[in-house]
Amino acid sequence: DAGVIQSPRHEVTEMGQEVTLRCKPISGHDYLFWYRQTMMRGLELLIYFNNNVPIDDSGMPEDRFSAKMPNASFSTLKIQPSEPRDSAVYFCASSLGGITEAFFGQGTRLTVV
Amino acid sequence: SQQGEEDPQALSIQEGENATMNCSYKTSINNLQWYRQNSGRGLVHLILIRSNEREKHSGRLRVTLDTSKKSSSLLITASRAADTASYFCATDPNSGNTPLVFGKGTRLSVIA
């Protein structure tokens, strides 16, 4: 397996634009997590899914953020409209079981100017 | 709020020395995990220690867990320049199937 695949690796966008981040989890994993990493706040859990169903989205900072998982092999995190304070590295991770070893993608570095 | 807090925030050592990083957490846990993150990369799982274990080894890594003190330590022996990275502890609060909560990490620099 190629591991968790995220795209794009880097995204630069203007404030107000819509941004969509993509994630392909490891085949067979039943949990998918979206994290955001900044120097100030560290690694924050935004939302996680179990068997494609969102379980907890309390970490999503605002209504501008939304996430979907239409099937077991694909998830998106959308920010609309984007703001400069959304600049961060966004990680997707998957696991077999929610509290076992998590496998992380390489991340998407988002810069909103 | 974050469950795990690593200490120190940054550590710089010479190659060949041992590096010790600590993690404290607040609530009871099922297990505690350590991850490494190289610059510009995703986190990579290193080791998992269960709440009923006190010590675990994996190669040059040694992890201890003291549930009475709610703390864990990661020891890297005979460090190498390639060990330069940030190290994170992650805990799963013992309340249902709550996912991992990460600390802010310890940035380790190993100088050749």
Side-chain angles (χ1 to χ4, degrees):
Chain A
D1 200 316
V4 176
I5 299 173
Q6 292 186 245
S7 64
R9 288 294 311 276
H10 302 273
E11 177 79 36
V12 180
T13 190
E14 291 185 347
M15 182 173 61
Q17 296 297 308
E18 176 179 297
V19 175
T20 299
L21 312 181
R22 298 173 176 79
C23 174
K24 182 182 186 313
I26 292 174
S27 177
H29 282 188
D30 56 347
Y31 279 81
L32 183 140
F33 311 90
W34 281 100
Y35 288 90
R36 178 173 68 176
Q37 186 177 38
T38 61
M39 288 294 292
M40 288 294 293
R41 301 175 68 87
L43 201 61
E44 302 173 280
L45 176 66
L46 300 178
I47 185 172
Y48 75 99
F49 296 82
N50 176 217
N51 292 321
N52 313 339
V53 177
I55 302 302
D56 185 354
D57 66 353
S58 60
M60 298 283 260
E62 298 173 31
D63 291 344
R64 298 184 296 106
F65 287 70
S66 63
K68 295 181 179 179
M69 192 166 185
N71 56 63
S73 59
F74 184 65
S75 177
T76 60
L77 178 67
K78 185 176 294 186
I79 308 172
Q80 166 64 18
S82 59
E83 297 182 3
R85 59 191 166 129
D86 301 330
S87 297
V89 181
Y90 290 81
F91 287 102
C92 174
S94 70
S95 70
L96 187 60
I99 58 174
T100 58
E101 174 185 353
F103 293 79
F104 281 75
Q106 298 292 348
T108 294
R109 180 174 295 276
L110 173 65
T111 303
V112 183
V113 298
Chain B
S1 63
Q2 290 185 328
Q3 170 76 327
E5 293 292 337
E6 294 87 348
D7 170 61
Q9 292 186 359
L11 179 62
S12 184
I13 60 174
Q14 296 289 325
E15 201 167 34
E17 294 180 339
N18 295 342
T20 299
M21 289 157 273
N22 303 297
C23 170
S24 60
Y25 57 93
K26 297 176 182 176
T27 64
S28 61
I29 58 173
N30 293 308
N31 66 61
L32 185 143
Q33 303 179 38
W34 284 91
Y35 288 76
R36 182 183 72 196
Q37 183 181 33
N38 289 87
S39 180
R41 313 280 289 193
L43 280 74
V44 175
H45 181 264
L46 293 176
I47 195 166
L48 180 153
I49 185 166
R50 302 190 188 284
S51 59
N52 61 353
E53 297 176 310
R54 291 297 168 259
E55 187 171 314
K56 202 163 184 179
H57 296 255
S58 177
R60 295 184 295 112
L61 304 181
R62 173 177 168 252
V63 170
T64 62
L65 179 64
D66 187 336
T67 53
S68 67
K69 296 181 179 179
K70 291 186 171 57
S71 67
S72 173
S73 67
L74 170 67
L75 169 67
I76 304 175
T77 60
S79 64
R80 306 166 181 167
D83 295 328
T84 295
S86 292
Y87 292 82
F88 296 83
C89 69
T91 55
D92 63 316
N94 190 12
S95 55
N97 209 15
T98 310
L100 297 177
V101 180
F102 289 83
K104 290 189 176 181
T106 292
R107 181 177 294 277
L108 173 66
S109 297
V110 181
I111 303 167

